[in-house]
Amino acid sequence: MRRRSAGSVGYDRPVGDGYAADQGRIASGTAHGNWLTLGKDGRLTLYAPTDGGLLRWSETAVGGPAWSGPHFVSVADLTDLTVAQGANGYVHFLGRRQRTGSDGSPSVDIVHAIQYQTGRAVTEWRSIGNPHSDRDQGRALGVPIGTIATDGTVHVFVRSASRGLMLRREAPNGKWKAWEDLLGSGIDELPAAVALAGGRVEVCAAAETGVLVWRQAEAGGGFAAPRGFSLRPVQGTVAALETGPDRATYFWTDAADGGTAAWRPGGWPVALGGSPAERPYAVLRTALDGYDCVVLASRGQDGTAVLGLGGTENETNGFWWYALAEHCQGAPALARDGLGRVVMALIDPEGVPRVARQEDGAGLALTRWQRL
């Protein structure tokens, strides 16, 4: 596999309907999850939180380069926004909402909405509640993390007040099941969930004691008690990606050496080098030069974006990192566009989205950054 520098030079002029600052609203950071999605029509959409709701930009044609937006979606009192997409292309939004009651005390719940098609309206935001009936405990509820199984079942995972893992599922018919206590203790606020092609869902979380992994024995079934492993990921950096048939690889920043590690249950973590990440890695599996590859992106400690790539489940053969010149908030996002090209997105320090695409040719070189 030949490699070219994932370079970053200059800026293009804004395209589409203008960028966020021109519209009076800017992104307040980045969402959790997969906030750059590919619709069934082949167009990409980028989502970002903003004061009072979220912003949305969509490609006007398959492969771009023009984008429409930003389109503002109102939803008040969100502290965190997570984006997840199912195999059917539906985009699910999960929010942690904190409101102040008439007595002046805050209360927390989780809200959910769906966008069924690129550029179409978002459904009504509906509360799915809080697993804690006690208001004090409820305020300690973590960030909702979502994944959608192959049958369309929405899985919402959230850290409880006791720092275990809670789950609520929505069946494809729209009916929500009761909250489930998946146990565990001392876990990170940002567990990593992955929906595998065979129908099962797995979750991995950094914890005070190491790593905890929850697995379904079969698609749609219950989750076994978490299995613990004596590993040392930095909390807040774990990401998950299906890298083989019904098999996930987990990526994180290793607390011992400060570099990136890849791990599959049953083996030992493999050091990938690189620099420490601050948030969960953006992860993407794609073909490059005829090779099955994993692409990672993160925000380094100096605030600039970092891109890495290597062979899928072939980490010992080498992993290559490229420091980009772009400063960003939170974690970048990765996706393939409707023409199959790798696209990287970030939110710059001014709250403006920027995107760069894979250039034609060998390896993974990026075009000039485009300001939306």
Side-chain angles (χ1 to χ4, degrees):
M1 176 176 62
R2 288 199 299 151
R3 298 176 300 279
R4 297 172 62 195
S5 171
S8 169
V9 292
Y11 304 108
D12 288 342
R13 293 178 62 84
V15 299
D17 290 345
Y19 56 96
D22 286 343
Q23 304 296 319
R25 292 185 183 275
I26 61 172
S28 57
T30 56
H32 306 287
N34 301 320
W35 51 271
L36 182 66
T37 64
L38 180 66
K40 283 291 188 180
D41 63 355
R43 291 188 292 151
L44 290 171
T45 303
L46 184 154
Y47 306 91
T50 190
D51 291 343
L54 67 92
L55 297 172
R56 179 184 74 192
W57 292 258
S58 298
E59 287 182 319
T60 60
V62 175
W67 295 70
S68 65
H71 173 73
F72 174 65
V73 178
S74 177
V75 51
D77 304 315
L78 290 188
T79 64
D80 292 270
L81 174 69
T82 297
V83 182
Q85 187 177 30
N88 56 11
Y90 298 169
V91 178
H92 295 259
F93 305 97
L94 297 165
R96 181 187 183 275
R97 181 171 64 178
Q98 182 167 308
R99 296 180 291 179
T100 301
S102 57
D103 61 354
S105 62
S107 63
V108 169
D109 67 343
I110 304 300
V111 292
H112 172 245
I114 307 172
Q115 179 182 289
Y116 292 105
Q117 291 179 286
T118 305
R120 296 297 180 89
V122 174
T123 65
E124 180 182 355
W125 292 78
R126 298 183 182 276
S127 175
I128 63 171
N130 187 316
H132 300 295
S133 57
D134 179 84
R135 181 172 289 189
D136 288 338
Q137 288 186 329
R139 287 196 291 268
L141 195 67
V143 175
I145 299 299
T147 195
I148 295 87
T150 54
D151 68 353
T153 300
V154 181
H155 292 67
V156 181
F157 299 95
V158 62
R159 188 182 70 177
S160 67
S162 60
R163 298 189 68 186
L165 189 66
M166 305 295 297
L167 164 66
R168 195 163 194 194
R169 308 188 225 191
E170 184 197 34
N173 64 7
K175 183 178 180 180
W176 286 94
K177 299 181 179 181
W179 286 98
E180 303 172 53
D181 187 351
L182 301 187
L183 306 177
S185 63
I187 70 167
D188 179 25
E189 189 173 29
L190 296 174
V194 57
L196 302 171
R200 294 190 310 104
V201 170
E202 290 188 8
V203 186
C204 177
E208 294 173 350
T209 55
V211 167
L212 295 179
V213 176
W214 291 259
R215 304 176 79 248
Q216 287 178 310
E218 59 184 11
F223 286 80
R227 184 180 177 188
F229 299 87
S230 297
L231 305 172
R232 295 187 60 193
V234 173
Q235 294 203 13
T237 66
V238 181
L241 179 68
E242 184 170 17
T243 54
D246 207 40
R247 183 170 60 249
T249 298
Y250 298 100
F251 300 91
W252 59 63
T253 296
D254 185 80
D257 65 16
T260 306
W263 176 71
R264 287 177 289 279
W268 291 101
V270 178
L272 305 182
S275 58
E278 294 187 337
R279 293 273 294 273
Y281 291 85
V283 293
L284 180 69
R285 185 179 176 185
T286 191
L288 294 172
D289 300 338
Y291 290 87
D292 185 353
C293 293
V294 167
V295 182
L296 303 180
S298 66
R299 179 183 187 270
Q301 290 188 322
D302 65 353
T304 59
V306 179
L307 188 68
L309 64 99
T312 300
E313 295 195 353
N314 191 23
E315 297 90 359
T316 57
N317 195 42
F319 211 86
W320 293 270
W321 294 95
Y322 304 95
L324 307 182
E326 304 302 308
H327 284 78
C328 61
Q329 303 184 49
L334 292 169
R336 285 188 298 270
D337 69 11
L339 302 179
R341 298 173 298 186
V342 175
V343 179
M344 183 174 176
L346 54 83
I347 305 297
D348 74 15
E350 297 176 354
V352 178
R354 299 176 187 267
V355 296
R357 299 176 194 265
Q358 179 182 358
E359 287 186 334
D360 294 336
L364 179 58
L366 298 181
T367 62
R368 293 163 62 92
W369 287 89
Q370 179 182 6
R371 180 174 170 140
L372 303 190

